[in-house]
Amino acid sequence: MTETGKKPPNNHLKVGVIGGGMAGSTIALQLAEQGFRVTLFEEGRSLVNGPPICHLHAGGNLYREISDHQCLQLLEQSIDTLRVYQHSANIRPTVVAVPKQDPGHPEQLLPRLTLLQSHYRALVQQDASNAVLGHPDNYYRLYNRDDMEHLAKQDFPIHASSADDWMIPVAKHLNLDHFKFPFVLVQEYGVSVFRLAATVSLSLEAMPNSQVLTQACVTDIQQDTESLQWEITYQTLSPECDDLISQTTTVDYLINACGYRTGILDDMAQHKRQRLVEFKAAYVTHWAENQADWPEVIFHGQRGTPEGMAQLTPYPDGYFQLHGMTQDITLFKDGLVSSTEQSAQPVLSSRYKNMLRNGWQPNDIEQRTQRAIAHVAKFIPAYQHAQVGGPPLFGAQQIPGQDPSLRAADVSFAGQRYARTEIVKASSALTAAERILEHLVKEKLITEQQSGLGLNWEARFPVTKQLNLHDIVTKAEALAKERQFPAALARPVGAVPDPAIS
């Protein structure tokens, strides 16, 4: 063992991972933790900086339109994510509310919730370490009108420590006449993109067999037809930051984790693939008058209409992240584009590409954020006093195939020694890493023992599990500041749940 507690490389396989988002960083981390030599290329200044990540979909209850199968996948993947990235979790429940004008009804959610609860119970029976969402008997709870009217008369707790505590601000601030009953409280937690980024960054820095190249733009990939190795050509800034330096390196296996630009590498490698890319944004707001601990609240609505779903995600110090699934807020006109027969890379409009490259104009930030505030204020009238709290969290999300409602996806393979990650949700990243390791075993590039797949999650990530919350939060706050976001977005929400109430 090395001084970092990590075993030295266990074979000579060298892996290149292009793209340092959630998928690429997680895959690089798991491969490095198993002792493989990994080089991670990221064009930006830091890792895990892309589409807004805020919700751990432990059952997919935000999405009425997806299949039960996808919901079960998301539950399993979220549990795995909490076991590996335990310090990234924001421990607060999610409340699902159905407005009266919505064609759906809360009772329609119950069969799925019962299915998810049963599956969660089975997973905990298989392995007690899976009980990261509290006791399975308390996976969800229903609140009828009498319950809500009773809670509306209660004082705000100093800190929320029970299901009822979390529900009090909802009961006090919503006009109950505008909603169908029951309300549903479910143990879907939040996740901090900044603490995720901090975790992978600190872990990869601690391992001598991993190399992280930031501000590194890959310009070409070529595969040798005999050795099957890949030559990667990339550019970095000179130490004086006044010139680009072109370099090459060779790897035995190539992983395309380029997110919404995955098709660019597919085209270089001459691998066709159907996919969609969707430009989306969430908005950072500050509600200074708020003194309560809020759960996340989902107001169901029909996507793409003026009454689209609203999502209120809480952070410390009165900061909230907002989604509004309308084309004036989170969705964008012509923001969903498809690949073609000629190219695996969907082409966004020049406006959106410019925003991804250079950021937003102040007027656009103000206008879109105010629309998000107004959308949420339709359900929480006092929210009209909230203000812009920072720049939007935004990015382009790839979706493999042609189904824009797909949420559970992980990785696909093409040619030889080439994998492409295709996650839609952050919790799918570990599944993608597992499937790549399984593929490496199948191709006899590594052994089953070298893959580590027979180990539990904690044993697969010894370096990551040594990190402490203080160091992760310190790094996360620095990343938030570097990206011009409030430090509050990097800080934990809630606490380890009491099994009696979670």
Side-chain angles (χ1 to χ4, degrees), residues 242-303:
D242 58 1
D243 196 17
L244 288 174
I245 300 174
S246 185
Q247 302 176 70
T248 61
T249 190
T250 301
V251 299
D252 302 306
Y253 196 93
L254 180 63
I255 299 170
N256 175 357
C258 292
Y260 82 94
R261 291 182 293 184
T262 297
I264 295 175
L265 251 64
D266 274 349
D267 286 348
M268 289 182 187
Q270 299 181 8
H271 294 314
K272 288 190 174 183
R273 181 62 166 164
Q274 278 194 327
R275 63 169 52 84
L276 301 168
V277 162
E278 184 170 26
F279 184 87
K280 299 170 76 174
Y283 303 88
V284 178
T285 62
H286 189 229
W287 186 14
E289 293 85 356
N290 174 67
Q291 300 298 319
D293 287 342
W294 277 77
E296 180 161 83
V297 187
I298 305 301
F299 300 98
H300 271 174
Q302 293 181 288
R303 176 188 169 99

Side-chain angles (χ1 to χ4, degrees), residues 10-153:
N10 58 22
N11 77 357
H12 296 295
L13 185 75
K14 186 176 181 182
V15 180
V17 182
I18 302 176
M22 183 61 188
S25 295
T26 294
I27 291 165
L29 177 59
Q30 184 159 353
L31 290 170
E33 287 272 25
Q34 289 308 119
F36 300 107
R37 294 180 297 162
V38 180
T39 302
L40 176 60
F41 301 84
E42 166 53 38
E43 191 169 9
R45 294 170 58 88
S46 56
L47 302 179
V48 193
N49 185 11
I53 301 173
C54 67
H55 189 95
L56 197 64
H57 297 266
N61 292 293
L62 269 68
Y63 306 114
R64 293 178 292 189
E65 68 274 16
I66 69 174
S67 66
D68 286 349
H69 177 68
Q70 285 194 67
C71 286
L72 293 172
Q73 282 183 288
L74 289 170
L75 174 66
E76 294 176 0
Q77 292 173 353
S78 295
I79 290 169
D80 294 341
T81 300
L82 281 177
R83 289 181 64 173
V84 174
Y85 294 115
Q86 65 185 64
H87 294 310
S88 70
N90 286 328
I91 308 296
R92 82 291 174 283
T94 296
V95 172
V96 180
V98 181
K100 279 191 174 177
Q101 76 268 15
D102 186 82
H105 195 280
E107 297 286 350
Q108 296 169 331
L109 305 173
L110 299 187
R112 173 172 289 177
L113 287 164
T114 302
L115 174 67
L116 289 164
Q117 183 180 46
S118 176
H119 191 59
Y120 179 42
R121 182 179 291 111
L123 292 171
V124 173
Q125 289 172 349
Q126 291 172 13
D127 184 349
S129 297
N130 285 329
V132 291
L133 302 172
H135 196 287
D137 289 349
N138 303 305
Y139 174 70
Y140 74 94
R141 179 171 174 176
L142 305 180
Y143 287 81
N144 59 35
R145 175 136 195 175
D146 287 345
D147 297 327
M148 297 296 284
E149 289 177 347
H150 172 73
L151 291 173
K153 298 173 184 176

